[in-house]
Amino acid sequence: GSSFICSDISTPSPNATLHVDNKNHVCHSNRFHHHHKHTEPPPSCRSRLHVQGICCSSEIPAVRAILKPLPGVRKVGINVATKVVFVDHDPSIITADLLMKALNEDRFGATIVRDGELDLVDSRGGGHCSSKKDCDCHNNSCGDQSHDPSSSSFGSNLQDMPRSRFVESTIFIQGMVTLTNKEDLRPIEKLMQQNFFRGQLRAYHLHAPSRTLKAEHDPRLLSAEKIRSVLVKGLQGEEWGTIELAHDGAVENLALPMLTTEDDGDEVDATDDKSGSWLHGLKITVVLSGVCWILSLLSCIGGYWNYLKYAGIGSIVFGMPPVVIKAWMTARRLQFDANCMMVTAAFGALLLGEFDEAASVAFLFSISELLEARATVKARDALGAIVSLRPDYANMVDSKTGGVVIVPAAKVPVGSLVSVRTGDKVPADGVVHEGTSAVDESSITGEARPVDKRAGDEVTAGSINVGSTQLVVRTTATVGDSTLSRLIQLVEEAQANRS
């Protein structure tokens, strides 16, 4: 690929930044200086980029060839299942924005999911900034007081965050405690989907062990009592027990905050192209390609059957378009991969008049593409199930007034008090400050039975309060440094290594 020419970075010019030229990728960086003694290694952070151009493992060498030579890049991981590239880099040399631009120069369609520099700033206590424009944390212009959870300025900053029109309400369904698998929850899911549209009900979360349904709804269009009445009418039978409204978000006046890209950056893009799918994801085009291939093989009988060899052209038409698109994307980067080889083989066979051979290449490679796509979807679903354990919001307690404000879980700093009510997830690792209740840790530890927690006991991010009383937890780690985040990172790296 392109050459990277770096100037001498020993010149003491602290204001210089990294510049990437579109043609030669000329870089200049004078942010930190090699001439002075430095005993500590340069800081490193991990940024995540969503790269739309990654469609299969054949793009991995191309992405690595672009990112690895860049100065300041230490490690590149690629998760084909989620189309996410995570890069360990020195933010004082190269930023996530420059990583994105380097990929987009080769038309990979990269966007920043999470800027690791912001996480590095928060871990240093440089201030709680919603964006780089809000405060220059390298120059320490963000005061430590704004990051102190006990300070009044920090509480007011969280209360002034932009709010959505949705609130979260909790409904108790007594009979859910006996449900053991997802299929048993279908009646509830069917009622929620059939009776409410997205403008009224943004999302809902069912948790059988705590017997709760949490609904994010617009109280102007849909009240919590209306949701409860629909459930009461639809869930008839003694097995469902009593259905009660536990917490009405509109009455408590706790509007949900707006989530930014940094707040939900680890969410997995579960969208999947199912157009033309049949029989659990089997593509109709693959079936038609196979039929044409079989017809072309009948030409080997000879005689009048010889005309069936032209059915091989149909196999090419139905089976090769996805491969041709991938081969074209690779060729534009002046590279050659398996897709290019298959296209060459298929059209070469056509030019030689070997229509059945061309059909064989088209059909068999389309089968391999289908199997790879199904494996990718399974891997994406597995990672998505783990990421979904992390809560989006946290009920943060003001230690002075005792009031509660709902904030993005990613904004909760170390040392904060958070309220964990029945059915709520613990937003970050911490210690129980107040209350006694049972906590479901099965998703983290595999322990099937809920564990009793009281003041002084440790709780893990992602565990759920299934008892009948509230817990107040003092956080000992941020969401990014929690046990659950490390688990997500390990799974993500394992999938990248398999790729």
Side-chain angles (χ1 to χ4, degrees), residues 113 131 156 247 358 398 498:
V113 174
S131 67
S156 62
H247 302 287
D398 189 328
R498 288 184 62 185

Side-chain angles (χ1 to χ4, degrees), residues 59 68 109 146 190 300 306 407 424 436 495:
E59 276 81 21
K68 286 291 283 185
S146 66
K190 189 175 181 180
C300 297
N306 189 52
V407 300
D424 286 348
T436 300
Q495 289 190 353

Side-chain angles (χ1 to χ4, degrees), residues 30-58:
N30 295 321
R31 276 197 183 177
F32 65 78
H33 325 298
H34 284 240
H35 67 276
H36 66 75
K37 294 183 179 179
H38 223 3
T39 57
E40 295 183 357
S44 179
C45 64
R46 170 167 291 189
S47 296
R48 287 177 169 82
L49 307 172
H50 183 269
V51 184
Q52 190 62 37
I54 296 178
C55 57
C56 59
S57 57
S58 61

Side-chain angles (χ1 to χ4, degrees), residues 301-350:
I301 299 175
Y304 291 108
W305 295 88
N306 189 52
Y307 292 103
L308 290 176
K309 66 180 182 181
Y310 296 107
I313 299 176
S315 184
I316 294 287
V317 170
F318 290 119
M320 290 302 292
V323 184
V324 172
I325 293 173
K326 294 178 182 178
W328 170 245
M329 293 174 63
T330 303
R332 287 193 309 176
R333 299 192 292 266
L334 302 179
Q335 295 175 341
F336 196 80
D337 61 4
N339 295 304
C340 297
M341 285 194 297
M342 291 302 105
V343 171
T344 303
F347 286 96
L350 281 180

Side-chain angles (χ1 to χ4, degrees), residues 62-109:
V63 174
R64 289 188 184 276
I66 294 171
L67 297 179
K68 286 291 283 185
L70 292 175
V73 174
R74 297 173 180 173
K75 181 180 178 182
V76 177
I78 304 169
N79 192 324
V80 177
T82 58
K83 299 185 179 182
V84 170
V85 175
F86 52 90
V87 185
D88 293 344
H89 62 101
D90 185 346
S92 64
I93 298 178
I94 187 167
T95 63
D97 186 60
L98 291 172
L99 295 172
M100 178 190 69
K101 289 179 180 178
L103 288 171
N104 287 339
E105 285 176 13
D106 284 310
R107 302 179 183 180
F108 267 104

Side-chain angles (χ1 to χ4, degrees), residues 432 436-442 445-454 457-459 463-467 471:
V432 176
T436 300
S437 188
V439 174
D440 178 17
E441 298 180 336
S442 59
T445 64
E447 175 62 44
R449 297 175 63 87
V451 180
D452 291 333
K453 299 290 184 179
R454 53 182 55 86
D457 291 342
E458 294 183 352
V459 289
S463 54
I464 302 176
N465 182 5
V466 297
L471 291 177

Side-chain angles (χ1 to χ4, degrees), residues 52 83 269-278 281-283 322 370 373 377 380:
Q52 190 62 37
K83 299 185 179 182
D269 182 10
T271 58
D272 183 34
D273 181 16
K274 296 184 178 179
S275 59
S277 295
W278 182 50
L282 181 62
K283 292 284 186 178
L370 175 64
V377 170
R380 183 188 303 149

